[in-house]
Amino acid sequence: MCELGPLRERLEAVELVAAEADRAHAGSGRLVLLRGASGTGRTALLEAVAAQAQARGVRVLRARCSPDDETAPFSAVLRLLSLETEPANAAEPCPDHVAPSYDRNYAAQLWSRLRAYAADAPLLVAVDDVHFADGSSRRWLVEAARRIDALPLLLIVTERCQYDVDPPSEGLAYTLSPTLVRTHTLSPLSANAAAELVRSEIGAAEPGWVDDCVRAGAGSPLLLRALLDDLRAKEPEGTLPETVPQTCAALYPGAYPAAVSWWLDSAGPATAGVARALAALDDDALDDGQGEGTAELLARMAGVDPSRVPGWLTAMTRLGLLRRDEDGRPRYAHPLLRDAVLSGWPSVRRRAAHRTAAEVMLSRGDRAEAVAGQLLRTPAVGPGAEWAVAVLLDAATVAVRHGRTGDAVSYLRRTLEEPLTPSRRATVLTELGSLEFAAARSSAGIPRLAEATRLPGMPEDRARAAVALGTALALRGEARAAVDALRGLDGQLAGHPDLIRLLQNASALLSDNDQAVRQEAYRWLYDTAERSPHLIGTAGRALLVRYESTAGHISAATAMNRIRALLDEPTDPLAEPFLLGTAAAVAQWADEPDEAERLVSRGLAVQRPLLLHPMNPALLNVRADIAAGGGAYADLLADPTDWQVTEPRLLRSDPANAHAHAVIALVETGRTPEAARLADSFDLRDARESWELNRFLYARGVLRSASGDQAGALTDFLECGRRQTARDVVSPVVTPWRTAAADCRVALGRPQEALALAREEMRLALVWNTPRLVGRAMRGLATATGGRRGLELAEKAVRILRDASAQTELIPALIAQGRQLTAAGDRARAREALREAAERAERLGAVRMRVLAQEALPEARSRGAATALTGWAALTGSERRIAALAADGRTNTEIAELLHLARRTVETHLTSTYRKLGIRRRAELPAAMGEREPGPAQGV
């Protein structure tokens, strides 16, 4: 028998049919049963065999069975035998005969007719889809198979053979002896055969595109041809679409989804239900597929016997419709196949299945987010929905904890669809409004928060909602409206002095961006503290300590004694974040970074992460201040989304504390151009009044000074000071603007003006009296004073700062000392101080300070040029060692362990190295190092 054209990988079946045809010619017929799953090409193979037989002059009788045959006995056989003209000597069966059961006499008449056909010439009888045949026809065919061994007749029958969830009926050859039947099972197309089919139909195509087609075809010739038909129709001009679509909506005219629908229909409702349930589930709902979890879930969703589902998953994987992902979960071979399986599933049934999935997953202890993912696809559960509400709220909390704010918003919006008590609804509205506002400063969150304050319920709930609403309004620059929203609840909270104190404390914090409102809030705190201290509570008294600290009224020791005493007192749970956040800020100013960090951690732990709260950003700002005070520049720049400029033409007006820290960190690590881009991305002319604006002005002054624009820097420092003073913030604990301005005036040749600023800074620093502030102010006074007295002050500043281990302040003090020694002619001691400054700056990653120290060295001055700032020669010894290790493939952690350095120090050195070598990434290091000049400078 010759090749069967478009049929691929069917040679074994063709050879079997050819051999049995020869046997039938010799007068010894047999039944050939071609079995296979839906879409594997049984019908195409049968038609090809029948066509070839006809071409060779063999008489062919054909019949294709259908589900409708089951209602009429012998309908398939009658259709088979009516294809040819009846022979004259055949017995005439009664066409109106309807047998209530298998009628042996009637069957004998039909058998006689078949024998009459075979008497004239060899005969091929082809019956397609025999699994659809009526019972009488199936029995007749089985009996015929037992009798044709002496006839020149070949009976070829195709039968669907596929593992379905509903157990199938017995096959046609179940009762036949193996000697009477030859069975061949058609396998799915291999990947190679499917790829050849695609190329034969489409022509030249990219390998990835062909592979997509093969996976979407899932080894089924039917699905693959339907897909190719749709793809050709999609591009009528003959060009291929760039990618194989992942959804059926992108296909036209829809032959592929129709073929998948036929496959599901042929498998029966139970299999279709399981198939669609699998398509509807996300990865989170599936286990590795080896246990009973996935099978049980699919069975419950489809309402079928769970014992049959594991076998179906295995069978579909072998057929190629499913594949195991990298975690072992069963998934459809291609997204398009999955989408086609879902198409046509009524939404009501799909939603019901997702609810069932949620219930099953909850009962087996799945993660809250996985269960909530199913509930997002269901309508409200309704009465008895407490379990659903609890799951959605838990999932929202987890999502926020892991930074997935968008997911949390979806869970909370879905929660509002359930029946909720007013108190629970207020809680959900508060959390949802907080997240919606925090995600993108969306105004949608404010009406939700306002509604939450109006709902009846627990006073604590209304207070939380009011604090969140006030925080949102203050972040929008509406400090007055924020305070009014908080004070508007005073009448509703009569009898709850703790809640009234909470709102007053929140008012004081939220008023920071409006000077008039701020003065009112602190005046009330002061007046109340004098008359009735118990009315402001521990948090209110802590706020007064903070105010007196920044106003220059008390020392650090006094402030910390008061703060520690307040921390030892009982505190209302709702007021605890205010107390901890305020205490952390004071501890950081008092040079107690470890205690400040502990307080920050405690403060963040006691807050609900879903709520807007004025202390949450305050605590994070304290943490950033701690990092800046320790010179942890890599930590401040760790998240580029906080500071990188992605749209340089889009000017912003309201900088945050993170932007100010990022500008200074970029300057100190030698990335001045990036710092300039960040600073230039803000137009401060329309900026709202705030302490963060003042800090940004100081940071921009640092940038301008480092860039050589001393006049511009002085303007920024003085404006920062003017704004701070107007807010009663005169102590240098927040921003040392006087020392910075004094340095600028010295550089501009105005020493007397510089001296006045430096003396005032010194006076205020002695009030607070911490080594950092006193040493820094003394260093500034030394620079402004000059001469022998200036040298004495500089040396004293170094001693104070060395004992305090304040690296970020000790380095400039050493540089100032070195410059004073050089001016005094003591070049040896100057060299010692400046080299120590350079080494400390290098360890800290403070590139700017290291360069300043190197430029101030007496030998650098004698050469009349600074140390080389670019190229291999500009690298320090540490930078060279680290670069060599990085080029050798070592990770930052490994380098840090080898050289006994902090990982952030390694990162800072590498950043400086990239800048000096003119490269952008680690992969370029080997090539850049290969271009260095030979010589001693290469030593590591």
Side-chain angles (χ1 to χ4, degrees):
M1 187 171 287
C2 65
E3 177 62 33
L4 295 180
L7 298 179
R8 284 173 168 77
E9 295 188 327
R10 299 295 182 250
L11 181 59
E12 185 178 349
V14 171
E15 291 176 346
L16 170 63
V17 171
E20 292 304 322
D22 292 341
R23 178 188 172 102
H25 273 285
S28 181
R30 187 149 51 183
L31 168 64
V32 175
L33 182 61
L34 301 177
R35 307 173 75 214
S38 296
T40 50
R42 300 186 314 268
T43 298
L45 177 60
L46 185 64
E47 289 179 350
V49 168
Q52 284 208 339
Q54 283 183 319
R56 296 172 58 187
V58 177
R59 179 176 294 173
V60 178
L61 301 181
R62 304 187 203 183
R64 176 172 296 173
C65 305
S66 72
D68 296 336
D69 291 347
E70 296 181 0
T71 61
F74 294 105
S75 58
V77 178
L78 288 174
R79 189 158 54 253
L80 175 73
L81 298 179
S82 67
L83 293 177
E84 292 283 343
T85 304
E86 298 177 8
N89 60 347
E92 186 71 30
C94 176
D96 296 328
H97 179 81
V98 177
S101 60
Y102 188 73
D103 188 324
R104 289 186 173 277
N105 292 329
Y106 192 53
Q109 294 180 50
L110 295 173
W111 168 249
S112 297
R113 172 172 289 191
L114 180 63
R115 290 189 60 184
Y117 285 136
D120 294 340
L123 185 65
L124 174 67
V125 177
V127 181
D128 196 15
D129 290 341
V130 74
H131 49 280
F132 287 139
D134 62 276
S136 297
S137 295
R138 288 169 61 83
R139 182 172 177 179
W140 186 89
L141 289 169
V142 169
E143 290 183 356
R146 292 192 177 101
R147 299 177 180 180
I148 60 175
D149 58 335
L151 295 176
L153 186 153
L154 180 60
L155 176 58
I156 304 180
V157 174
T158 69
E159 183 177 53
R160 183 177 180 274
C161 175
Q162 181 172 305
Y163 191 104
D164 291 322
V165 176
D166 279 339
S169 58
E170 295 175 352
L172 180 71
Y174 178 73
T175 60
L176 288 176
S177 167
T179 61
L180 300 177
V181 59
R182 295 292 304 276
T183 302
H184 179 80
T185 301
L186 302 180
S187 300
L189 290 179
S190 69
N192 287 337
E196 289 177 8
L197 177 58
V198 172
R199 284 189 284 266
S200 68
E201 296 281 344
I202 298 295
E206 292 292 331
W209 193 93
V210 173
D211 182 62
D212 264 359
C213 287
V214 171
R215 289 193 297 115
S220 168
L222 172 74
L223 297 184
L224 189 54
R225 290 186 182 279
L227 173 63
L228 295 176
D229 288 344
D230 282 342
L231 293 176
R232 279 193 296 261
K234 181 178 176 61
E235 303 292 339
E237 296 180 359
T239 59
L240 294 176
E242 292 184 2
T243 59
V244 175
Q246 297 197 356
T247 64
C248 294
L251 288 177
Y252 179 83
Y256 181 83
V260 173
S261 178
W262 173 85
W263 169 70
L264 291 172
D265 290 342
S266 67
T271 297
V274 172
R276 284 171 170 146
L278 177 61
L281 291 177
D282 298 326
D283 290 345
D284 286 345
L286 302 173
D287 59 21
D288 62 6
Q290 304 301 322
E292 298 180 356
T294 294
E296 175 68 22
L297 178 58
L298 295 174
R300 290 282 298 277
M301 291 175 69
V304 301
D305 180 3
S307 66
R308 298 281 300 174
V309 178
W312 181 82
L313 292 171
T314 300
M316 295 304 101
T317 302
R318 288 175 179 170
L319 286 176
L321 288 119
L322 302 181
R323 291 187 177 187
R324 298 284 177 177
D325 65 14
E326 58 185 10
D327 295 319
R329 294 177 296 233
R331 305 305 287 156
Y332 281 94
H334 193 275
L336 179 62
L337 177 58
R338 178 185 181 184
D339 187 66
V341 170
L342 279 175
S343 297
W345 198 13
S347 59
V348 173
R349 295 179 61 184
R350 185 188 300 192
R351 292 173 181 172
H354 280 298
R355 173 172 172 173
T356 300
E359 293 171 344
V360 173
M361 293 165 65
L362 179 65
S363 66
R364 72 186 189 187
D366 282 16
R367 296 182 306 106
E369 282 191 278
V371 181
Q374 301 302 315
L375 289 173
L376 290 179
R377 299 167 173 85
T378 69
V381 174
E386 290 80 5
W387 67 272
V389 171
V391 165
L392 290 164
L393 293 180
D394 288 346
T397 301
V398 173
V400 169
R401 187 179 303 130
H402 290 88
R404 296 190 293 273
T405 304
D407 292 341
V409 167
S410 298
Y411 298 141
L412 292 175
R413 287 175 179 170
R414 172 63 181 78
T415 305
L416 289 177
E417 297 176 11
E418 299 293 347
L420 303 171
T421 64
S423 179
R424 177 60 68 85
R425 185 172 182 82
T427 299
V428 175
L429 283 169
T430 302
E431 294 176 349
L432 177 57
S434 296
L435 288 181
E436 287 179 330
F437 182 86
R441 294 290 193 269
S442 170
S443 59
I446 291 180
R448 296 191 194 275
L449 296 171
E451 181 184 351
T453 64
R454 296 191 296 268
L455 286 173
M458 299 294 291
E460 293 83 356
D461 295 330
R462 293 203 298 276
R464 288 193 187 95
V467 170
L469 175 60
T471 304
L473 292 170
L475 289 172
R476 288 180 56 180
E478 302 174 26
R480 173 65 67 182
V483 173
D484 290 344
L486 294 171
R487 293 175 179 171
L489 284 184
D490 285 353
Q492 302 177 36
L493 299 178
H496 297 277
D498 55 334
L499 297 181
I500 294 176
R501 286 197 298 268
L502 169 74
L503 299 184
Q504 292 293 350
N505 293 335
S507 297
L509 280 171
L510 297 176
S511 66
D512 267 352
N513 291 344
D514 187 300
Q515 181 59 20
V517 180
R518 185 174 186 271
Q519 288 176 345
E520 292 177 14
Y522 278 96
R523 187 181 305 117
W524 181 90
L525 283 175
Y526 268 112
D527 293 344
T528 306
E530 291 179 1
R531 296 192 314 270
S532 307
H534 66 282
L535 292 181
I536 65 171
T538 55
R541 283 180 280 165
L543 286 171
L544 291 178
V545 173
R546 189 188 76 154
Y547 182 89
E548 291 180 349
S549 299
T550 58
H553 296 162
I554 58 177
S555 69
T558 300
M560 287 306 298
N561 287 336
R562 293 182 185 178
I563 286 294
R564 288 173 178 138
L566 292 171
L567 289 169
D568 289 337
E569 292 186 23
T571 304
D572 298 327
L574 290 177
E576 188 175 9
F578 292 96
L579 173 60
L580 294 172
T582 305
V586 175
Q588 190 270 325
W589 295 333
D591 287 352
E592 300 283 354
D594 293 339
E595 185 167 357
E597 177 56 39
R598 285 194 296 272
L599 291 167
V600 168
S601 298
R602 282 181 57 192
L604 293 173
V606 300
Q607 291 196 78
R608 295 183 64 177
L610 274 68
L611 298 182
L612 272 180
H613 196 286
M615 289 316 302
N616 187 64
L619 287 164
L620 295 178
N621 281 327
V622 172
R623 178 167 282 171
D625 293 346
I626 295 170
Y633 305 124
D635 291 344
L636 294 168
L637 301 174
D639 188 356
T641 59
D642 290 342
W643 56 269
Q644 271 190 344
V645 180
T646 55
E647 298 182 68
R649 296 181 182 177
L650 180 61
L651 292 180
R652 298 168 287 179
S653 59
D654 295 308
N657 187 46
H659 298 126
H661 281 310
V663 168
I664 294 177
L666 290 168
V667 169
E668 296 300 342
T669 54
R671 299 160 66 179
T672 305
E674 289 180 78
R677 283 196 296 273
L678 175 57
D680 291 343
S681 69
F682 289 93
D683 184 353
L684 303 185
R685 290 173 297 182
D686 297 324
R688 295 192 298 263
E689 173 68 30
S690 72
W691 68 268
E692 292 178 295
L693 171 60
N694 300 343
R695 181 161 287 186
F696 188 81
L697 284 168
Y698 175 82
R700 194 174 68 176
V702 172
L703 166 65
R704 287 177 168 175
S705 176
S707 303
D709 181 9
Q710 301 300 333
L714 178 61
T715 299
D716 279 342
F717 292 140
L718 293 177
E719 179 63 15
C720 169
R722 184 190 68 77
R723 291 170 177 268
Q724 294 280 61
T725 303
R727 296 165 55 85
D728 295 332
V729 178
V730 297
S731 173
V733 295
V734 179
T735 47
W737 63 270
R738 295 179 187 84
T739 295
D743 289 342
C744 290
R745 281 178 167 165
V746 169
L748 293 170
R750 295 149 62 181
Q752 291 304 313
E753 296 176 13
L755 193 59
L757 285 169
R759 286 172 176 167
E760 177 65 9
E761 186 90 334
M762 190 72 233
R763 183 187 72 79
L764 291 168
L766 289 171
V767 172
W768 187 246
N769 200 28
T770 58
R772 180 188 297 270
L773 255 66
V774 172
R776 180 174 60 202
M778 193 169 291
R779 188 270 305 165
L781 183 58
T783 301
T785 302
R788 179 177 297 178
R789 177 59 180 161
L791 177 57
E792 292 173 356
L793 290 170
E795 290 178 336
K796 187 175 181 181
V798 168
R799 288 196 299 272
I800 293 172
L801 291 168
R802 194 186 299 282
D803 292 340
S805 299
Q807 290 289 309
T808 54
E809 302 299 341
L810 176 57
I811 295 169
L814 285 167
I815 295 173
Q817 181 190 27
R819 287 170 173 166
Q820 297 275 9
L821 288 167
T822 300
D826 193 342
R827 297 167 65 87
R829 290 183 61 205
R831 186 178 300 109
E832 181 180 344
L834 292 168
R835 284 180 175 172
E836 180 185 354
E839 290 173 1
R840 288 180 178 274
E842 183 179 334
R843 288 197 296 270
L844 193 64
V847 175
R848 182 177 76 95
M849 288 295 176
R850 190 202 71 215
V851 171
L852 288 176
Q854 291 173 334
E855 290 176 337
L857 284 166
E859 54 265 35
R861 289 170 175 262
S862 65
R863 290 195 305 267
T867 303
L869 300 180
T870 60
W872 178 259
L875 299 186
T876 65
S878 293
E879 287 173 342
R880 292 172 185 172
R881 287 190 292 274
I882 291 171
L885 290 170
D888 195 38
R890 304 274 189 173
T891 66
N892 289 358
T893 301
E894 291 172 341
I895 296 171
E897 292 174 353
L898 284 170
L899 300 181
H900 305 289
L901 298 172
R903 187 170 63 85
R904 68 170 180 262
T905 302
V906 174
E907 294 169 351
T908 302
H909 281 334
L910 284 174
T911 299
S912 175
T913 299
Y914 298 161
R915 178 182 59 80
K916 292 178 180 179
L917 297 180
I919 61 178
R920 301 183 63 182
R921 56 182 64 88
R922 197 186 204 95
E924 299 176 56
L925 267 176
M929 293 180 65
E931 296 173 359
R932 64 186 185 271
E933 297 178 2
Q938 294 183 27
V940 292

